[in-house]
């Protein structure tokens, strides 16, 4: 079984073309993809969660 791809927060921000501050504002409103905190404190977003978030954004925009 393959491990899910985990993206660094910087990679996510680059892909969605958003600043870190804007991302955290969305997160505070519950509108951002799920973040996972690793034991060393680094943040990751799974590719599946990011793709699902993109789909939800597209559905809400329609």
């Amino acid at each position: 079984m393959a491990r899910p791809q985990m993206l660094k927060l910087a990679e996510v921000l680059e892909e969605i073309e958003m600043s870190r501050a804007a991302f955290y504002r969305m997160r505070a409103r519950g509108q951002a993809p799920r973040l996972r905190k690793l034991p060393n404190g680094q943040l990751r977003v799974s590719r599946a969660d990011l793709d699902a978030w993109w789909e939800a954004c597209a559905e809400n925009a329609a």
Side-chain angles (χ1 to χ4, degrees):
M1 185 169 145
R3 289 188 352 210
Q5 182 183 9
M6 301 300 285
L7 304 168
K8 294 179 181 179
L9 183 55
E11 294 170 327
V12 172
L13 295 174
E14 183 178 328
E15 182 174 328
I16 65 175
E17 298 179 359
M18 184 178 290
S19 71
R20 185 177 295 262
F23 181 86
Y24 278 107
R25 284 193 300 271
M26 284 183 63
R27 185 172 181 239
R29 293 189 306 262
Q31 299 173 335
R34 181 176 167 217
L35 284 177
R36 299 174 191 211
K37 191 171 190 177
L38 301 179
N40 63 2
Q42 293 181 1
L43 299 173
R44 296 286 189 271
V45 176
S46 77
R47 169 51 67 188
D49 287 346
L50 184 59
D51 290 344
W53 178 80
W54 273 122
E55 286 297 319
C57 288
E59 289 172 8
N60 290 338

